[in-house]
PDB file of all heavy atoms in Angstrom:
ATOM      1  N   PHE A   1       0.849  -1.188   0.000  1.00  0.00           N
ATOM      2  CA  PHE A   1       0.000   0.000   0.000  1.00  0.00           C
ATOM      3  C   PHE A   1       0.883   1.236   0.000  1.00  0.00           C
ATOM      4  O   PHE A   1       1.681   1.421   0.920  1.00  0.00           O
ATOM      5  CB  PHE A   1      -0.902   0.022   1.234  1.00  0.00           C
ATOM      6  CG  PHE A   1      -1.811  -1.175   1.328  1.00  0.00           C
ATOM      7  CD1 PHE A   1      -1.436  -2.297   2.048  1.00  0.00           C
ATOM      8  CD2 PHE A   1      -3.034  -1.177   0.669  1.00  0.00           C
ATOM      9  CE1 PHE A   1      -2.266  -3.398   2.135  1.00  0.00           C
ATOM     10  CE2 PHE A   1      -3.877  -2.280   0.744  1.00  0.00           C
ATOM     11  CZ  PHE A   1      -3.490  -3.397   1.479  1.00  0.00           C
ATOM     12  N   GLY A   2       0.776   2.059  -1.015  1.00  0.00           N
ATOM     13  CA  GLY A   2       1.536   3.295  -1.089  1.00  0.00           C
ATOM     14  C   GLY A   2       0.970   4.330  -0.132  1.00  0.00           C
ATOM     15  O   GLY A   2      -0.242   4.515  -0.074  1.00  0.00           O
ATOM     16  N   VAL A   3       1.843   4.962   0.657  1.00  0.00           N
ATOM     17  CA  VAL A   3       1.430   6.006   1.609  1.00  0.00           C
ATOM     18  C   VAL A   3       2.314   7.233   1.413  1.00  0.00           C
ATOM     19  O   VAL A   3       3.442   7.135   0.938  1.00  0.00           O
ATOM     20  CB  VAL A   3       1.505   5.512   3.071  1.00  0.00           C
ATOM     21  CG1 VAL A   3       0.547   4.363   3.313  1.00  0.00           C
ATOM     22  CG2 VAL A   3       2.924   5.096   3.449  1.00  0.00           C
ATOM     23  N   ASP A   4       1.801   8.388   1.804  1.00  0.00           N
ATOM     24  CA  ASP A   4       2.573   9.629   1.710  1.00  0.00           C
ATOM     25  C   ASP A   4       3.526   9.796   2.886  1.00  0.00           C
ATOM     26  O   ASP A   4       4.595  10.377   2.744  1.00  0.00           O
ATOM     27  CB  ASP A   4       1.637  10.839   1.646  1.00  0.00           C
ATOM     28  CG  ASP A   4       0.847  10.890   0.348  1.00  0.00           C
ATOM     29  OD1 ASP A   4       1.377  10.446  -0.694  1.00  0.00           O
ATOM     30  OD2 ASP A   4      -0.297  11.361   0.382  1.00  0.00           O
ATOM     31  N   ASP A   5       3.121   9.297   4.066  1.00  0.00           N
ATOM     32  CA  ASP A   5       3.912   9.469   5.285  1.00  0.00           C
ATOM     33  C   ASP A   5       3.961   8.138   6.023  1.00  0.00           C
ATOM     34  O   ASP A   5       3.017   7.766   6.727  1.00  0.00           O
ATOM     35  CB  ASP A   5       3.282  10.553   6.157  1.00  0.00           C
ATOM     36  CG  ASP A   5       4.071  10.853   7.419  1.00  0.00           C
ATOM     37  OD1 ASP A   5       4.913  10.039   7.830  1.00  0.00           O
ATOM     38  OD2 ASP A   5       3.832  11.924   8.011  1.00  0.00           O
ATOM     39  N   LEU A   6       5.058   7.410   5.859  1.00  0.00           N
ATOM     40  CA  LEU A   6       5.192   6.072   6.424  1.00  0.00           C
ATOM     41  C   LEU A   6       5.081   6.092   7.947  1.00  0.00           C
ATOM     42  O   LEU A   6       4.364   5.277   8.530  1.00  0.00           O
ATOM     43  CB  LEU A   6       6.520   5.442   5.997  1.00  0.00           C
ATOM     44  CG  LEU A   6       6.717   3.995   6.423  1.00  0.00           C
ATOM     45  CD1 LEU A   6       5.762   3.076   5.703  1.00  0.00           C
ATOM     46  CD2 LEU A   6       8.152   3.564   6.182  1.00  0.00           C
ATOM     47  N   THR A   7       5.755   7.018   8.597  1.00  0.00           N
ATOM     48  CA  THR A   7       5.745   7.079  10.059  1.00  0.00           C
ATOM     49  C   THR A   7       4.329   7.276  10.585  1.00  0.00           C
ATOM     50  O   THR A   7       3.895   6.584  11.515  1.00  0.00           O
ATOM     51  CB  THR A   7       6.674   8.199  10.560  1.00  0.00           C
ATOM     52  OG1 THR A   7       7.994   7.944  10.071  1.00  0.00           O
ATOM     53  CG2 THR A   7       6.684   8.274  12.064  1.00  0.00           C
ATOM     54  N   SER A   8       3.594   8.185  10.007  1.00  0.00           N
ATOM     55  CA  SER A   8       2.223   8.460  10.430  1.00  0.00           C
ATOM     56  C   SER A   8       1.319   7.248  10.185  1.00  0.00           C
ATOM     57  O   SER A   8       0.520   6.877  11.051  1.00  0.00           O
ATOM     58  CB  SER A   8       1.690   9.681   9.692  1.00  0.00           C
ATOM     59  OG  SER A   8       0.341   9.912  10.028  1.00  0.00           O
ATOM     60  N   ALA A   9       1.443   6.630   9.027  1.00  0.00           N
ATOM     61  CA  ALA A   9       0.622   5.464   8.704  1.00  0.00           C
ATOM     62  C   ALA A   9       0.923   4.309   9.653  1.00  0.00           C
ATOM     63  O   ALA A   9       0.008   3.616  10.105  1.00  0.00           O
ATOM     64  CB  ALA A   9       0.860   5.042   7.257  1.00  0.00           C
ATOM     65  N   MET A  10       2.201   4.123   9.989  1.00  0.00           N
ATOM     66  CA  MET A  10       2.571   3.062  10.924  1.00  0.00           C
ATOM     67  C   MET A  10       1.977   3.329  12.305  1.00  0.00           C
ATOM     68  O   MET A  10       1.446   2.409  12.938  1.00  0.00           O
ATOM     69  CB  MET A  10       4.091   2.936  11.021  1.00  0.00           C
ATOM     70  CG  MET A  10       4.731   2.323   9.790  1.00  0.00           C
ATOM     71  SD  MET A  10       6.532   2.256   9.918  1.00  0.00           S
ATOM     72  CE  MET A  10       6.730   1.047  11.242  1.00  0.00           C
ATOM     73  N   LYS A  11       2.048   4.563  12.774  1.00  0.00           N
ATOM     74  CA  LYS A  11       1.497   4.912  14.090  1.00  0.00           C
ATOM     75  C   LYS A  11      -0.002   4.645  14.126  1.00  0.00           C
ATOM     76  O   LYS A  11      -0.526   4.120  15.111  1.00  0.00           O
ATOM     77  CB  LYS A  11       1.796   6.368  14.437  1.00  0.00           C
ATOM     78  CG  LYS A  11       3.236   6.594  14.838  1.00  0.00           C
ATOM     79  CD  LYS A  11       3.488   8.053  15.189  1.00  0.00           C
ATOM     80  CE  LYS A  11       4.956   8.271  15.508  1.00  0.00           C
ATOM     81  NZ  LYS A  11       5.259   9.673  15.806  1.00  0.00           N
ATOM     82  N   ASP A  12      -0.700   5.024  13.060  1.00  0.00           N
ATOM     83  CA  ASP A  12      -2.147   4.783  12.997  1.00  0.00           C
ATOM     84  C   ASP A  12      -2.461   3.293  13.078  1.00  0.00           C
ATOM     85  O   ASP A  12      -3.369   2.876  13.801  1.00  0.00           O
ATOM     86  CB  ASP A  12      -2.745   5.359  11.713  1.00  0.00           C
ATOM     87  CG  ASP A  12      -2.787   6.881  11.690  1.00  0.00           C
ATOM     88  OD1 ASP A  12      -2.614   7.509  12.764  1.00  0.00           O
ATOM     89  OD2 ASP A  12      -2.987   7.436  10.593  1.00  0.00           O
ATOM     90  N   LEU A  13      -1.726   2.486  12.324  1.00  0.00           N
ATOM     91  CA  LEU A  13      -1.984   1.043  12.331  1.00  0.00           C
ATOM     92  C   LEU A  13      -1.550   0.392  13.636  1.00  0.00           C
ATOM     93  O   LEU A  13      -2.227  -0.516  14.134  1.00  0.00           O
ATOM     94  CB  LEU A  13      -1.294   0.381  11.136  1.00  0.00           C
ATOM     95  CG  LEU A  13      -1.926   0.695   9.781  1.00  0.00           C
ATOM     96  CD1 LEU A  13      -1.083   0.119   8.652  1.00  0.00           C
ATOM     97  CD2 LEU A  13      -3.352   0.166   9.714  1.00  0.00           C
ATOM     98  N   GLU A  14      -0.440   0.835  14.210  1.00  0.00           N
ATOM     99  CA  GLU A  14       0.002   0.290  15.497  1.00  0.00           C
ATOM    100  C   GLU A  14      -1.038   0.557  16.585  1.00  0.00           C
ATOM    101  O   GLU A  14      -1.272  -0.292  17.448  1.00  0.00           O
ATOM    102  CB  GLU A  14       1.357   0.868  15.888  1.00  0.00           C
ATOM    103  CG  GLU A  14       2.494   0.300  15.060  1.00  0.00           C
ATOM    104  CD  GLU A  14       3.823   0.994  15.266  1.00  0.00           C
ATOM    105  OE1 GLU A  14       3.850   2.195  15.606  1.00  0.00           O
ATOM    106  OE2 GLU A  14       4.843   0.317  15.071  1.00  0.00           O
ATOM    107  N   ALA A  15      -1.692   1.719  16.531  1.00  0.00           N
ATOM    108  CA  ALA A  15      -2.742   2.052  17.496  1.00  0.00           C
ATOM    109  C   ALA A  15      -3.937   1.105  17.365  1.00  0.00           C
ATOM    110  O   ALA A  15      -4.708   0.943  18.301  1.00  0.00           O
ATOM    111  CB  ALA A  15      -3.193   3.499  17.308  1.00  0.00           C
ATOM    112  N   LYS A  16      -4.046   0.452  16.199  1.00  0.00           N
ATOM    113  CA  LYS A  16      -5.138  -0.494  15.956  1.00  0.00           C
ATOM    114  C   LYS A  16      -4.676  -1.936  16.145  1.00  0.00           C
ATOM    115  O   LYS A  16      -5.391  -2.869  15.792  1.00  0.00           O
ATOM    116  CB  LYS A  16      -5.690  -0.291  14.543  1.00  0.00           C
ATOM    117  CG  LYS A  16      -6.326   1.076  14.379  1.00  0.00           C
ATOM    118  CD  LYS A  16      -6.748   1.339  12.962  1.00  0.00           C
ATOM    119  CE  LYS A  16      -7.316   2.752  12.861  1.00  0.00           C
ATOM    120  NZ  LYS A  16      -7.606   3.145  11.501  1.00  0.00           N
ATOM    121  N   GLY A  17      -3.449  -2.122  16.657  1.00  0.00           N
ATOM    122  CA  GLY A  17      -2.972  -3.459  16.972  1.00  0.00           C
ATOM    123  C   GLY A  17      -2.077  -4.117  15.941  1.00  0.00           C
ATOM    124  O   GLY A  17      -1.690  -5.269  16.097  1.00  0.00           O
ATOM    125  N   VAL A  18      -1.721  -3.409  14.888  1.00  0.00           N
ATOM    126  CA  VAL A  18      -0.842  -3.982  13.865  1.00  0.00           C
ATOM    127  C   VAL A  18       0.597  -3.956  14.368  1.00  0.00           C
ATOM    128  O   VAL A  18       1.069  -2.950  14.886  1.00  0.00           O
ATOM    129  CB  VAL A  18      -0.952  -3.195  12.534  1.00  0.00           C
ATOM    130  CG1 VAL A  18       0.098  -3.660  11.530  1.00  0.00           C
ATOM    131  CG2 VAL A  18      -2.347  -3.338  11.958  1.00  0.00           C
ATOM    132  N   ALA A  19       1.286  -5.094  14.217  1.00  0.00           N
ATOM    133  CA  ALA A  19       2.697  -5.189  14.596  1.00  0.00           C
ATOM    134  C   ALA A  19       3.535  -5.285  13.322  1.00  0.00           C
ATOM    135  O   ALA A  19       3.274  -6.134  12.464  1.00  0.00           O
ATOM    136  CB  ALA A  19       2.931  -6.416  15.467  1.00  0.00           C
ATOM    137  N   PHE A  20       4.518  -4.427  13.198  1.00  0.00           N
ATOM    138  CA  PHE A  20       5.401  -4.437  12.034  1.00  0.00           C
ATOM    139  C   PHE A  20       6.601  -5.322  12.320  1.00  0.00           C
ATOM    140  O   PHE A  20       7.192  -5.261  13.399  1.00  0.00           O
ATOM    141  CB  PHE A  20       5.834  -3.008  11.689  1.00  0.00           C
ATOM    142  CG  PHE A  20       4.706  -2.189  11.128  1.00  0.00           C
ATOM    143  CD1 PHE A  20       3.859  -1.481  11.969  1.00  0.00           C
ATOM    144  CD2 PHE A  20       4.463  -2.164   9.771  1.00  0.00           C
ATOM    145  CE1 PHE A  20       2.800  -0.744  11.464  1.00  0.00           C
ATOM    146  CE2 PHE A  20       3.401  -1.435   9.255  1.00  0.00           C
ATOM    147  CZ  PHE A  20       2.571  -0.727  10.100  1.00  0.00           C
ATOM    148  N   SER A  21       6.968  -6.138  11.340  1.00  0.00           N
ATOM    149  CA  SER A  21       8.090  -7.062  11.529  1.00  0.00           C
ATOM    150  C   SER A  21       9.427  -6.405  11.208  1.00  0.00           C
ATOM    151  O   SER A  21      10.442  -6.749  11.813  1.00  0.00           O
ATOM    152  CB  SER A  21       7.910  -8.309  10.664  1.00  0.00           C
ATOM    153  OG  SER A  21       7.812  -7.967   9.292  1.00  0.00           O
ATOM    154  N   ARG A  22       9.430  -5.482  10.245  1.00  0.00           N
ATOM    155  CA  ARG A  22      10.675  -4.797   9.896  1.00  0.00           C
ATOM    156  C   ARG A  22      10.374  -3.589   9.026  1.00  0.00           C
ATOM    157  O   ARG A  22       9.340  -3.516   8.368  1.00  0.00           O
ATOM    158  CB  ARG A  22      11.662  -5.729   9.204  1.00  0.00           C
ATOM    159  CG  ARG A  22      11.194  -6.253   7.864  1.00  0.00           C
ATOM    160  CD  ARG A  22      12.101  -7.380   7.345  1.00  0.00           C
ATOM    161  NE  ARG A  22      11.467  -8.032   6.233  1.00  0.00           N
ATOM    162  CZ  ARG A  22      11.885  -7.999   4.991  1.00  0.00           C
ATOM    163  NH1 ARG A  22      12.991  -7.334   4.696  1.00  0.00           N
ATOM    164  NH2 ARG A  22      11.255  -8.624   4.038  1.00  0.00           N
ATOM    165  N   VAL A  23      11.319  -2.671   9.049  1.00  0.00           N
ATOM    166  CA  VAL A  23      11.265  -1.481   8.190  1.00  0.00           C
ATOM    167  C   VAL A  23      12.570  -1.453   7.412  1.00  0.00           C
ATOM    168  O   VAL A  23      13.646  -1.631   7.986  1.00  0.00           O
ATOM    169  CB  VAL A  23      11.098  -0.189   9.020  1.00  0.00           C
ATOM    170  CG1 VAL A  23      11.142   1.031   8.110  1.00  0.00           C
ATOM    171  CG2 VAL A  23       9.803  -0.232   9.817  1.00  0.00           C
ATOM    172  N   VAL A  24      12.468  -1.250   6.112  1.00  0.00           N
ATOM    173  CA  VAL A  24      13.631  -1.255   5.234  1.00  0.00           C
ATOM    174  C   VAL A  24      13.666   0.059   4.472  1.00  0.00           C
ATOM    175  O   VAL A  24      12.643   0.497   3.946  1.00  0.00           O
ATOM    176  CB  VAL A  24      13.560  -2.433   4.231  1.00  0.00           C
ATOM    177  CG1 VAL A  24      14.701  -2.380   3.243  1.00  0.00           C
ATOM    178  CG2 VAL A  24      13.515  -3.763   4.960  1.00  0.00           C
TER     179      VAL A  24
END
């Protein structure tokens, strides 16, 4: 999924319980 702001999108999803395995 293409996003304009990776940090913001990650924070939004983490607040909903999404766990990221890695960032490259």
Side-chain angles (χ1 to χ4, degrees):
F1 300 93
V3 297
D4 292 328
D5 183 342
L6 185 68
T7 302
S8 176
M10 288 178 67
K11 285 181 183 178
D12 289 345
L13 289 174
E14 287 171 332
K16 295 174 183 173
V18 172
F20 290 88
S21 59
R22 64 191 168 113
V23 176
V24 175

